Amino acid sequence: MAEGRCRRLADLPSGILENVASFLVNPSRAIFAAVLATSDSPSDTRSAIVGDQWDTLDFGEIEKDLAAKLSDDDIHKILLCTDAVNRVKRLMLTNCTHIKGVGLEPLRGSIIIEQIDLSLVAYHESPVLDPAPPISWVYVLPILDSIISQAGYELKLLEFPKHWLDSSDPIQFLDRYLHMWSNRFELTCLSTGCNEIVNEVELCCKCMNYYCDFCVTDDDERMIAYCDKCEKRYCYECVAIKDCRCCHQSYCSGHCDVSFHECCEGCGKICPDCDTEERRCHRCKDRWCDDCGGEVIQKCSFCNIRLCNCCDTNFKYCENDSCLWNFCGDCLSNSKGCIKCNKCEKVWCDECADNYCGDGFYFPNGHPKIGNCDGCDCNVCFHCNDYWSDCGRCNGIYCVQCWDRNDLRLLDGCYRCQKPIQCSCVPMALQCLNVCEDCFECGFPDNGCPGCIRNAEKRLDRLNEGNKSAVDTSGSG
């Protein structure tokens, strides 16, 4: 290798290194400077690489895998190189899941830092990490105590790892911090014309603007809202927060709700937890929220299938006002669990149709709710049929239209037992004489009613025999 050739990165001229660093995001520049700090590179070279724009240090700006490999020693060097105690106002340890917290020591006593995010997750990500990261409040809380114990400290927003909230020490520190916060700051809602004093939980985690929970935009959107999925609070200028139309939990629109489904009425979205079978049409798979679905989607009481009014327009409820059963078009057409009048198309469920009152099949007024006529083989309800009659011999039931037909004349019934005899199964001769076949077969005493055909036949036989005897006598004489 030729003499004088550069053998190490640190041997490059500071201008070249500074130019290279200008293309890097802040965390990468800090890592670059920390690497050079391990060599014997001049301090002015490291300062040129670091620069002076260090209001925000967010490790979410670098690759997730790289951030996850950073150790406490790496974080310690980065904070020293950037002079974080005097420069960094917002620190987000996004994806730094390998640290224990010891590396935050250079922040001890900072009076300019305003936000520390220890949740270790990026915006719009669930704070629940499995397995739980090794960061420990045992190392971190003393550093935080040193910050809030300083006169004039500026720490306004502090976020802990999710698993810390199961321990008493972090909770006690948060209570102490919030108490000191309320005594230290008096922030007024930034909404025009609002003088409401806000608290620590009403700061946007992205821009740190603060609004009260009561103010809304001209579009009636909350100016600041909490996302129930990523468990962070955002103002309306950074992220739009929408509610699930069913459970009304709030989510970051376009981020935490990517797996949501739109309500078919276009009123909003439904979260995965609420996207259940009862809110979907079985046929077209469209979804409806509770407000819209109550008028659009119905469940068949017999087959338990839910259908929207676009896929099935034939849903009908049982005519019994106290019954809540309804039926889809398929069950209605196949008489599954129900019976429909063929004339007015009113429907009764099987239970209500079988729940007769009065004398057997009839209402007290003599009308069945709905029945199958043995004459025309149709289902007819009492709304469409004035009177039902049944045959005393075959138990056939006939609607009034069938009784009016020629072969089922409406007569008074058997004069002896009063059973209806109008059914075609009774011989026409007996119908004409108003006698049922049972009475005809049982016979009457000789002095019985002259309407009895058997007695009439006996008298006729005796008369014929008498005439025959008279003829024989006259012939013999």
Side-chain angles (χ1 to χ4, degrees), residues 116-152:
I116 300 177
D117 184 355
L118 303 173
S119 66
L120 309 183
V121 294
Y123 299 122
H124 316 302
E125 290 185 359
S126 171
V128 179
L129 296 176
D130 187 21
I135 188 169
S136 172
W137 53 264
V138 174
Y139 303 116
V140 178
L141 291 188
I143 300 172
L144 297 178
D145 264 320
S146 72
I147 294 175
I148 65 174
S149 62
Q150 299 292 319

PDB file of all heavy atoms in Angstrom, residues 116-152:
ATOM      1  N   ILE A 116     -39.552  11.833  27.620  1.00  0.00           N
ATOM      2  CA  ILE A 116     -38.797  10.584  27.642  1.00  0.00           C
ATOM      3  C   ILE A 116     -39.783   9.452  27.402  1.00  0.00           C
ATOM      4  O   ILE A 116     -40.707   9.233  28.190  1.00  0.00           O
ATOM      5  CB  ILE A 116     -38.064  10.370  28.984  1.00  0.00           C
ATOM      6  CG1 ILE A 116     -37.086  11.512  29.251  1.00  0.00           C
ATOM      7  CG2 ILE A 116     -37.325   9.039  28.976  1.00  0.00           C
ATOM      8  CD1 ILE A 116     -36.370  11.397  30.596  1.00  0.00           C
ATOM      9  N   ASP A 117     -39.594   8.753  26.287  1.00  0.00           N
ATOM     10  CA  ASP A 117     -40.472   7.629  25.934  1.00  0.00           C
ATOM     11  C   ASP A 117     -39.699   6.331  26.135  1.00  0.00           C
ATOM     12  O   ASP A 117     -38.812   5.994  25.362  1.00  0.00           O
ATOM     13  CB  ASP A 117     -40.932   7.770  24.483  1.00  0.00           C
ATOM     14  CG  ASP A 117     -41.932   6.688  24.088  1.00  0.00           C
ATOM     15  OD1 ASP A 117     -42.193   5.791  24.907  1.00  0.00           O
ATOM     16  OD2 ASP A 117     -42.446   6.747  22.948  1.00  0.00           O
ATOM     17  N   LEU A 118     -40.069   5.608  27.192  1.00  0.00           N
ATOM     18  CA  LEU A 118     -39.425   4.335  27.526  1.00  0.00           C
ATOM     19  C   LEU A 118     -40.291   3.138  27.125  1.00  0.00           C
ATOM     20  O   LEU A 118     -40.008   2.008  27.524  1.00  0.00           O
ATOM     21  CB  LEU A 118     -39.146   4.270  29.027  1.00  0.00           C
ATOM     22  CG  LEU A 118     -38.285   5.405  29.607  1.00  0.00           C
ATOM     23  CD1 LEU A 118     -38.240   5.306  31.124  1.00  0.00           C
ATOM     24  CD2 LEU A 118     -36.884   5.351  29.030  1.00  0.00           C
ATOM     25  N   SER A 119     -41.353   3.380  26.341  1.00  0.00           N
ATOM     26  CA  SER A 119     -42.258   2.280  25.965  1.00  0.00           C
ATOM     27  C   SER A 119     -41.591   1.288  25.015  1.00  0.00           C
ATOM     28  O   SER A 119     -42.050   0.153  24.878  1.00  0.00           O
ATOM     29  CB  SER A 119     -43.527   2.835  25.314  1.00  0.00           C
ATOM     30  OG  SER A 119     -43.228   3.458  24.077  1.00  0.00           O
ATOM     31  N   LEU A 120     -40.525   1.716  24.342  1.00  0.00           N
ATOM     32  CA  LEU A 120     -39.710   0.878  23.447  1.00  0.00           C
ATOM     33  C   LEU A 120     -40.436   0.480  22.164  1.00  0.00           C
ATOM     34  O   LEU A 120     -39.938  -0.348  21.401  1.00  0.00           O
ATOM     35  CB  LEU A 120     -39.210  -0.383  24.159  1.00  0.00           C
ATOM     36  CG  LEU A 120     -38.505  -0.180  25.504  1.00  0.00           C
ATOM     37  CD1 LEU A 120     -37.998  -1.530  26.029  1.00  0.00           C
ATOM     38  CD2 LEU A 120     -37.366   0.813  25.394  1.00  0.00           C
ATOM     39  N   VAL A 121     -41.611   1.046  21.916  1.00  0.00           N
ATOM     40  CA  VAL A 121     -42.344   0.715  20.697  1.00  0.00           C
ATOM     41  C   VAL A 121     -42.574   1.991  19.895  1.00  0.00           C
ATOM     42  O   VAL A 121     -42.602   3.099  20.436  1.00  0.00           O
ATOM     43  CB  VAL A 121     -43.692   0.036  20.998  1.00  0.00           C
ATOM     44  CG1 VAL A 121     -43.481  -1.321  21.642  1.00  0.00           C
ATOM     45  CG2 VAL A 121     -44.569   0.917  21.872  1.00  0.00           C
ATOM     46  N   ALA A 122     -42.756   1.820  18.580  1.00  0.00           N
ATOM     47  CA  ALA A 122     -42.986   2.960  17.701  1.00  0.00           C
ATOM     48  C   ALA A 122     -44.427   3.428  17.797  1.00  0.00           C
ATOM     49  O   ALA A 122     -45.271   2.798  18.444  1.00  0.00           O
ATOM     50  CB  ALA A 122     -42.643   2.568  16.264  1.00  0.00           C
ATOM     51  N   TYR A 123     -44.702   4.544  17.156  1.00  0.00           N
ATOM     52  CA  TYR A 123     -46.079   5.023  17.079  1.00  0.00           C
ATOM     53  C   TYR A 123     -46.954   3.957  16.415  1.00  0.00           C
ATOM     54  O   TYR A 123     -46.538   3.263  15.496  1.00  0.00           O
ATOM     55  CB  TYR A 123     -46.159   6.314  16.258  1.00  0.00           C
ATOM     56  CG  TYR A 123     -45.373   7.471  16.825  1.00  0.00           C
ATOM     57  CD1 TYR A 123     -44.385   8.088  16.072  1.00  0.00           C
ATOM     58  CD2 TYR A 123     -45.622   7.945  18.105  1.00  0.00           C
ATOM     59  CE1 TYR A 123     -43.657   9.161  16.580  1.00  0.00           C
ATOM     60  CE2 TYR A 123     -44.901   9.011  18.632  1.00  0.00           C
ATOM     61  CZ  TYR A 123     -43.918   9.613  17.865  1.00  0.00           C
ATOM     62  OH  TYR A 123     -43.198  10.656  18.384  1.00  0.00           O
ATOM     63  N   HIS A 124     -48.173   3.825  16.921  1.00  0.00           N
ATOM     64  CA  HIS A 124     -49.197   2.942  16.358  1.00  0.00           C
ATOM     65  C   HIS A 124     -48.850   1.459  16.509  1.00  0.00           C
ATOM     66  O   HIS A 124     -49.331   0.626  15.748  1.00  0.00           O
ATOM     67  CB  HIS A 124     -49.441   3.266  14.879  1.00  0.00           C
ATOM     68  CG  HIS A 124     -49.534   4.732  14.589  1.00  0.00           C
ATOM     69  ND1 HIS A 124     -50.470   5.538  15.193  1.00  0.00           N
ATOM     70  CD2 HIS A 124     -48.784   5.537  13.780  1.00  0.00           C
ATOM     71  CE1 HIS A 124     -50.310   6.779  14.755  1.00  0.00           C
ATOM     72  NE2 HIS A 124     -49.291   6.802  13.910  1.00  0.00           N
ATOM     73  N   GLU A 125     -48.009   1.124  17.479  1.00  0.00           N
ATOM     74  CA  GLU A 125     -47.701  -0.275  17.783  1.00  0.00           C
ATOM     75  C   GLU A 125     -48.189  -0.597  19.188  1.00  0.00           C
ATOM     76  O   GLU A 125     -48.185   0.254  20.076  1.00  0.00           O
ATOM     77  CB  GLU A 125     -46.205  -0.554  17.682  1.00  0.00           C
ATOM     78  CG  GLU A 125     -45.661  -0.533  16.264  1.00  0.00           C
ATOM     79  CD  GLU A 125     -44.195  -0.935  16.219  1.00  0.00           C
ATOM     80  OE1 GLU A 125     -43.615  -1.219  17.297  1.00  0.00           O
ATOM     81  OE2 GLU A 125     -43.615  -0.954  15.113  1.00  0.00           O
ATOM     82  N   SER A 126     -48.579  -1.850  19.385  1.00  0.00           N
ATOM     83  CA  SER A 126     -49.038  -2.272  20.708  1.00  0.00           C
ATOM     84  C   SER A 126     -47.895  -2.183  21.710  1.00  0.00           C
ATOM     85  O   SER A 126     -46.764  -2.593  21.417  1.00  0.00           O
ATOM     86  CB  SER A 126     -49.566  -3.706  20.651  1.00  0.00           C
ATOM     87  OG  SER A 126     -49.822  -4.187  21.955  1.00  0.00           O
ATOM     88  N   PRO A 127     -48.145  -1.651  22.912  1.00  0.00           N
ATOM     89  CA  PRO A 127     -47.089  -1.541  23.924  1.00  0.00           C
ATOM     90  C   PRO A 127     -46.753  -2.862  24.604  1.00  0.00           C
ATOM     91  O   PRO A 127     -45.806  -2.935  25.380  1.00  0.00           O
ATOM     92  CB  PRO A 127     -47.675  -0.542  24.926  1.00  0.00           C
ATOM     93  CG  PRO A 127     -49.151  -0.743  24.824  1.00  0.00           C
ATOM     94  CD  PRO A 127     -49.423  -1.068  23.390  1.00  0.00           C
ATOM     95  N   VAL A 128     -47.511  -3.898  24.308  1.00  0.00           N
ATOM     96  CA  VAL A 128     -47.277  -5.204  24.936  1.00  0.00           C
ATOM     97  C   VAL A 128     -46.171  -5.928  24.170  1.00  0.00           C
ATOM     98  O   VAL A 128     -46.323  -6.238  22.986  1.00  0.00           O
ATOM     99  CB  VAL A 128     -48.564  -6.047  24.952  1.00  0.00           C
ATOM    100  CG1 VAL A 128     -48.291  -7.404  25.583  1.00  0.00           C
ATOM    101  CG2 VAL A 128     -49.677  -5.319  25.689  1.00  0.00           C
ATOM    102  N   LEU A 129     -45.053  -6.194  24.840  1.00  0.00           N
ATOM    103  CA  LEU A 129     -43.926  -6.896  24.234  1.00  0.00           C
ATOM    104  C   LEU A 129     -43.771  -8.261  24.881  1.00  0.00           C
ATOM    105  O   LEU A 129     -43.822  -8.383  26.112  1.00  0.00           O
ATOM    106  CB  LEU A 129     -42.632  -6.079  24.422  1.00  0.00           C
ATOM    107  CG  LEU A 129     -42.615  -4.717  23.725  1.00  0.00           C
ATOM    108  CD1 LEU A 129     -41.325  -3.967  24.077  1.00  0.00           C
ATOM    109  CD2 LEU A 129     -42.732  -4.871  22.217  1.00  0.00           C
ATOM    110  N   ASP A 130     -43.613  -9.270  24.064  1.00  0.00           N
ATOM    111  CA  ASP A 130     -43.472 -10.639  24.555  1.00  0.00           C
ATOM    112  C   ASP A 130     -42.292 -11.306  23.844  1.00  0.00           C
ATOM    113  O   ASP A 130     -42.300 -11.458  22.617  1.00  0.00           O
ATOM    114  CB  ASP A 130     -44.758 -11.420  24.291  1.00  0.00           C
ATOM    115  CG  ASP A 130     -44.757 -12.800  24.927  1.00  0.00           C
ATOM    116  OD1 ASP A 130     -43.963 -13.009  25.876  1.00  0.00           O
ATOM    117  OD2 ASP A 130     -45.539 -13.656  24.475  1.00  0.00           O
ATOM    118  N   PRO A 131     -41.256 -11.650  24.617  1.00  0.00           N
ATOM    119  CA  PRO A 131     -41.132 -11.531  26.076  1.00  0.00           C
ATOM    120  C   PRO A 131     -40.895 -10.082  26.505  1.00  0.00           C
ATOM    121  O   PRO A 131     -40.520  -9.238  25.695  1.00  0.00           O
ATOM    122  CB  PRO A 131     -39.924 -12.408  26.387  1.00  0.00           C
ATOM    123  CG  PRO A 131     -39.091 -12.337  25.143  1.00  0.00           C
ATOM    124  CD  PRO A 131     -40.056 -12.276  23.996  1.00  0.00           C
ATOM    125  N   ALA A 132     -41.112  -9.832  27.785  1.00  0.00           N
ATOM    126  CA  ALA A 132     -40.908  -8.483  28.313  1.00  0.00           C
ATOM    127  C   ALA A 132     -39.438  -8.099  28.181  1.00  0.00           C
ATOM    128  O   ALA A 132     -38.550  -8.913  28.437  1.00  0.00           O
ATOM    129  CB  ALA A 132     -41.348  -8.422  29.771  1.00  0.00           C
ATOM    130  N   PRO A 133     -39.147  -6.875  27.772  1.00  0.00           N
ATOM    131  CA  PRO A 133     -37.756  -6.436  27.606  1.00  0.00           C
ATOM    132  C   PRO A 133     -37.047  -6.332  28.951  1.00  0.00           C
ATOM    133  O   PRO A 133     -37.692  -6.202  29.997  1.00  0.00           O
ATOM    134  CB  PRO A 133     -37.903  -5.071  26.927  1.00  0.00           C
ATOM    135  CG  PRO A 133     -39.258  -4.593  27.326  1.00  0.00           C
ATOM    136  CD  PRO A 133     -40.110  -5.821  27.429  1.00  0.00           C
ATOM    137  N   PRO A 134     -35.695  -6.332  28.953  1.00  0.00           N
ATOM    138  CA  PRO A 134     -34.938  -6.335  30.219  1.00  0.00           C
ATOM    139  C   PRO A 134     -34.822  -4.979  30.894  1.00  0.00           C
ATOM    140  O   PRO A 134     -34.274  -4.904  32.004  1.00  0.00           O
ATOM    141  CB  PRO A 134     -33.558  -6.838  29.784  1.00  0.00           C
ATOM    142  CG  PRO A 134     -33.432  -6.429  28.358  1.00  0.00           C
ATOM    143  CD  PRO A 134     -34.816  -6.524  27.787  1.00  0.00           C
ATOM    144  N   ILE A 135     -35.306  -3.902  30.270  1.00  0.00           N
ATOM    145  CA  ILE A 135     -35.176  -2.592  30.897  1.00  0.00           C
ATOM    146  C   ILE A 135     -35.815  -2.603  32.281  1.00  0.00           C
ATOM    147  O   ILE A 135     -36.924  -3.104  32.468  1.00  0.00           O
ATOM    148  CB  ILE A 135     -35.796  -1.505  30.001  1.00  0.00           C
ATOM    149  CG1 ILE A 135     -35.481  -0.112  30.563  1.00  0.00           C
ATOM    150  CG2 ILE A 135     -37.280  -1.716  29.806  1.00  0.00           C
ATOM    151  CD1 ILE A 135     -35.827   1.014  29.609  1.00  0.00           C
ATOM    152  N   SER A 136     -35.078  -2.087  33.263  1.00  0.00           N
ATOM    153  CA  SER A 136     -35.505  -2.216  34.665  1.00  0.00           C
ATOM    154  C   SER A 136     -35.657  -0.842  35.306  1.00  0.00           C
ATOM    155  O   SER A 136     -34.804   0.043  35.147  1.00  0.00           O
ATOM    156  CB  SER A 136     -34.486  -3.041  35.447  1.00  0.00           C
ATOM    157  OG  SER A 136     -34.777  -3.034  36.819  1.00  0.00           O
ATOM    158  N   TRP A 137     -36.771  -0.689  36.042  1.00  0.00           N
ATOM    159  CA  TRP A 137     -36.989   0.557  36.763  1.00  0.00           C
ATOM    160  C   TRP A 137     -35.983   0.751  37.890  1.00  0.00           C
ATOM    161  O   TRP A 137     -35.785   1.858  38.380  1.00  0.00           O
ATOM    162  CB  TRP A 137     -38.421   0.608  37.297  1.00  0.00           C
ATOM    163  CG  TRP A 137     -38.857  -0.582  38.115  1.00  0.00           C
ATOM    164  CD1 TRP A 137     -39.547  -1.656  37.670  1.00  0.00           C
ATOM    165  CD2 TRP A 137     -38.628  -0.814  39.499  1.00  0.00           C
ATOM    166  NE1 TRP A 137     -39.779  -2.552  38.673  1.00  0.00           N
ATOM    167  CE2 TRP A 137     -39.225  -2.058  39.823  1.00  0.00           C
ATOM    168  CE3 TRP A 137     -37.994  -0.109  40.505  1.00  0.00           C
ATOM    169  CZ2 TRP A 137     -39.188  -2.598  41.101  1.00  0.00           C
ATOM    170  CZ3 TRP A 137     -37.964  -0.640  41.797  1.00  0.00           C
ATOM    171  CH2 TRP A 137     -38.551  -1.872  42.074  1.00  0.00           C
ATOM    172  N   VAL A 138     -35.340  -0.330  38.295  1.00  0.00           N
ATOM    173  CA  VAL A 138     -34.321  -0.220  39.356  1.00  0.00           C
ATOM    174  C   VAL A 138     -33.199   0.722  38.918  1.00  0.00           C
ATOM    175  O   VAL A 138     -32.671   1.501  39.730  1.00  0.00           O
ATOM    176  CB  VAL A 138     -33.755  -1.612  39.700  1.00  0.00           C
ATOM    177  CG1 VAL A 138     -32.610  -1.494  40.691  1.00  0.00           C
ATOM    178  CG2 VAL A 138     -34.858  -2.517  40.227  1.00  0.00           C
ATOM    179  N   TYR A 139     -32.843   0.688  37.624  1.00  0.00           N
ATOM    180  CA  TYR A 139     -31.773   1.551  37.112  1.00  0.00           C
ATOM    181  C   TYR A 139     -32.305   2.893  36.640  1.00  0.00           C
ATOM    182  O   TYR A 139     -31.593   3.911  36.716  1.00  0.00           O
ATOM    183  CB  TYR A 139     -31.062   0.868  35.937  1.00  0.00           C
ATOM    184  CG  TYR A 139     -30.486  -0.482  36.275  1.00  0.00           C
ATOM    185  CD1 TYR A 139     -30.964  -1.644  35.657  1.00  0.00           C
ATOM    186  CD2 TYR A 139     -29.460  -0.621  37.215  1.00  0.00           C
ATOM    187  CE1 TYR A 139     -30.450  -2.878  35.959  1.00  0.00           C
ATOM    188  CE2 TYR A 139     -28.942  -1.869  37.529  1.00  0.00           C
ATOM    189  CZ  TYR A 139     -29.438  -2.987  36.899  1.00  0.00           C
ATOM    190  OH  TYR A 139     -28.914  -4.213  37.206  1.00  0.00           O
ATOM    191  N   VAL A 140     -33.515   2.931  36.143  1.00  0.00           N
ATOM    192  CA  VAL A 140     -34.026   4.127  35.479  1.00  0.00           C
ATOM    193  C   VAL A 140     -34.643   5.120  36.456  1.00  0.00           C
ATOM    194  O   VAL A 140     -34.428   6.335  36.324  1.00  0.00           O
ATOM    195  CB  VAL A 140     -35.047   3.738  34.400  1.00  0.00           C
ATOM    196  CG1 VAL A 140     -35.627   4.986  33.737  1.00  0.00           C
ATOM    197  CG2 VAL A 140     -34.413   2.840  33.348  1.00  0.00           C
ATOM    198  N   LEU A 141     -35.393   4.668  37.452  1.00  0.00           N
ATOM    199  CA  LEU A 141     -36.098   5.591  38.344  1.00  0.00           C
ATOM    200  C   LEU A 141     -35.160   6.547  39.076  1.00  0.00           C
ATOM    201  O   LEU A 141     -35.499   7.739  39.223  1.00  0.00           O
ATOM    202  CB  LEU A 141     -36.956   4.806  39.344  1.00  0.00           C
ATOM    203  CG  LEU A 141     -38.182   4.074  38.770  1.00  0.00           C
ATOM    204  CD1 LEU A 141     -39.044   3.505  39.898  1.00  0.00           C
ATOM    205  CD2 LEU A 141     -39.014   4.990  37.885  1.00  0.00           C
ATOM    206  N   PRO A 142     -33.982   6.110  39.548  1.00  0.00           N
ATOM    207  CA  PRO A 142     -33.079   7.083  40.190  1.00  0.00           C
ATOM    208  C   PRO A 142     -32.659   8.207  39.233  1.00  0.00           C
ATOM    209  O   PRO A 142     -32.506   9.360  39.656  1.00  0.00           O
ATOM    210  CB  PRO A 142     -31.878   6.224  40.597  1.00  0.00           C
ATOM    211  CG  PRO A 142     -32.436   4.859  40.762  1.00  0.00           C
ATOM    212  CD  PRO A 142     -33.483   4.731  39.703  1.00  0.00           C
ATOM    213  N   ILE A 143     -32.490   7.886  37.946  1.00  0.00           N
ATOM    214  CA  ILE A 143     -32.124   8.909  36.974  1.00  0.00           C
ATOM    215  C   ILE A 143     -33.280   9.880  36.780  1.00  0.00           C
ATOM    216  O   ILE A 143     -33.090  11.108  36.706  1.00  0.00           O
ATOM    217  CB  ILE A 143     -31.733   8.254  35.635  1.00  0.00           C
ATOM    218  CG1 ILE A 143     -30.533   7.319  35.830  1.00  0.00           C
ATOM    219  CG2 ILE A 143     -31.424   9.308  34.581  1.00  0.00           C
ATOM    220  CD1 ILE A 143     -30.188   6.488  34.604  1.00  0.00           C
ATOM    221  N   LEU A 144     -34.506   9.346  36.693  1.00  0.00           N
ATOM    222  CA  LEU A 144     -35.676  10.210  36.547  1.00  0.00           C
ATOM    223  C   LEU A 144     -35.883  11.066  37.784  1.00  0.00           C
ATOM    224  O   LEU A 144     -36.261  12.245  37.688  1.00  0.00           O
ATOM    225  CB  LEU A 144     -36.920   9.361  36.282  1.00  0.00           C
ATOM    226  CG  LEU A 144     -36.918   8.550  34.981  1.00  0.00           C
ATOM    227  CD1 LEU A 144     -38.202   7.721  34.879  1.00  0.00           C
ATOM    228  CD2 LEU A 144     -36.777   9.455  33.768  1.00  0.00           C
ATOM    229  N   ASP A 145     -35.632  10.497  38.954  1.00  0.00           N
ATOM    230  CA  ASP A 145     -35.740  11.272  40.191  1.00  0.00           C
ATOM    231  C   ASP A 145     -34.777  12.446  40.186  1.00  0.00           C
ATOM    232  O   ASP A 145     -35.094  13.542  40.663  1.00  0.00           O
ATOM    233  CB  ASP A 145     -35.474  10.375  41.405  1.00  0.00           C
ATOM    234  CG  ASP A 145     -36.761   9.849  42.028  1.00  0.00           C
ATOM    235  OD1 ASP A 145     -37.731  10.628  42.110  1.00  0.00           O
ATOM    236  OD2 ASP A 145     -36.803   8.673  42.407  1.00  0.00           O
ATOM    237  N   SER A 146     -33.581  12.232  39.655  1.00  0.00           N
ATOM    238  CA  SER A 146     -32.594  13.314  39.608  1.00  0.00           C
ATOM    239  C   SER A 146     -33.042  14.437  38.677  1.00  0.00           C
ATOM    240  O   SER A 146     -32.629  15.594  38.853  1.00  0.00           O
ATOM    241  CB  SER A 146     -31.242  12.763  39.141  1.00  0.00           C
ATOM    242  OG  SER A 146     -31.262  12.442  37.750  1.00  0.00           O
ATOM    243  N   ILE A 147     -33.894  14.110  37.680  1.00  0.00           N
ATOM    244  CA  ILE A 147     -34.380  15.124  36.744  1.00  0.00           C
ATOM    245  C   ILE A 147     -35.491  15.954  37.370  1.00  0.00           C
ATOM    246  O   ILE A 147     -35.464  17.193  37.354  1.00  0.00           O
ATOM    247  CB  ILE A 147     -34.861  14.457  35.438  1.00  0.00           C
ATOM    248  CG1 ILE A 147     -33.683  13.812  34.706  1.00  0.00           C
ATOM    249  CG2 ILE A 147     -35.566  15.461  34.543  1.00  0.00           C
ATOM    250  CD1 ILE A 147     -34.068  13.024  33.473  1.00  0.00           C
ATOM    251  N   ILE A 148     -36.493  15.291  37.950  1.00  0.00           N
ATOM    252  CA  ILE A 148     -37.634  16.041  38.477  1.00  0.00           C
ATOM    253  C   ILE A 148     -37.326  16.714  39.812  1.00  0.00           C
ATOM    254  O   ILE A 148     -38.129  17.519  40.299  1.00  0.00           O
ATOM    255  CB  ILE A 148     -38.870  15.128  38.629  1.00  0.00           C
ATOM    256  CG1 ILE A 148     -38.637  14.049  39.683  1.00  0.00           C
ATOM    257  CG2 ILE A 148     -39.244  14.501  37.289  1.00  0.00           C
ATOM    258  CD1 ILE A 148     -39.878  13.211  39.961  1.00  0.00           C
ATOM    259  N   SER A 149     -36.194  16.400  40.377  1.00  0.00           N
ATOM    260  CA  SER A 149     -35.791  17.076  41.622  1.00  0.00           C
ATOM    261  C   SER A 149     -35.052  18.386  41.339  1.00  0.00           C
ATOM    262  O   SER A 149     -34.791  19.156  42.262  1.00  0.00           O
ATOM    263  CB  SER A 149     -34.909  16.158  42.471  1.00  0.00           C
ATOM    264  OG  SER A 149     -33.706  15.840  41.781  1.00  0.00           O
ATOM    265  N   GLN A 150     -34.745  18.644  40.050  1.00  0.00           N
ATOM    266  CA  GLN A 150     -34.050  19.874  39.687  1.00  0.00           C
ATOM    267  C   GLN A 150     -35.038  21.038  39.625  1.00  0.00           C
ATOM    268  O   GLN A 150     -36.166  20.895  39.149  1.00  0.00           O
ATOM    269  CB  GLN A 150     -33.376  19.714  38.313  1.00  0.00           C
ATOM    270  CG  GLN A 150     -32.334  18.620  38.236  1.00  0.00           C
ATOM    271  CD  GLN A 150     -31.112  18.945  39.063  1.00  0.00           C
ATOM    272  OE1 GLN A 150     -30.638  20.077  39.085  1.00  0.00           O
ATOM    273  NE2 GLN A 150     -30.600  17.946  39.770  1.00  0.00           N
ATOM    274  N   ALA A 151     -34.604  22.173  40.105  1.00  0.00           N
ATOM    275  CA  ALA A 151     -35.431  23.371  39.993  1.00  0.00           C
ATOM    276  C   ALA A 151     -35.529  23.768  38.522  1.00  0.00           C
ATOM    277  O   ALA A 151     -34.520  23.845  37.823  1.00  0.00           O
ATOM    278  CB  ALA A 151     -34.825  24.504  40.814  1.00  0.00           C
ATOM    279  N   GLY A 152     -36.731  24.020  38.083  1.00  0.00           N
ATOM    280  CA  GLY A 152     -36.936  24.437  36.697  1.00  0.00           C
ATOM    281  C   GLY A 152     -36.879  23.317  35.688  1.00  0.00           C
ATOM    282  O   GLY A 152     -36.637  23.573  34.503  1.00  0.00           O
TER     283      GLY A 152
END
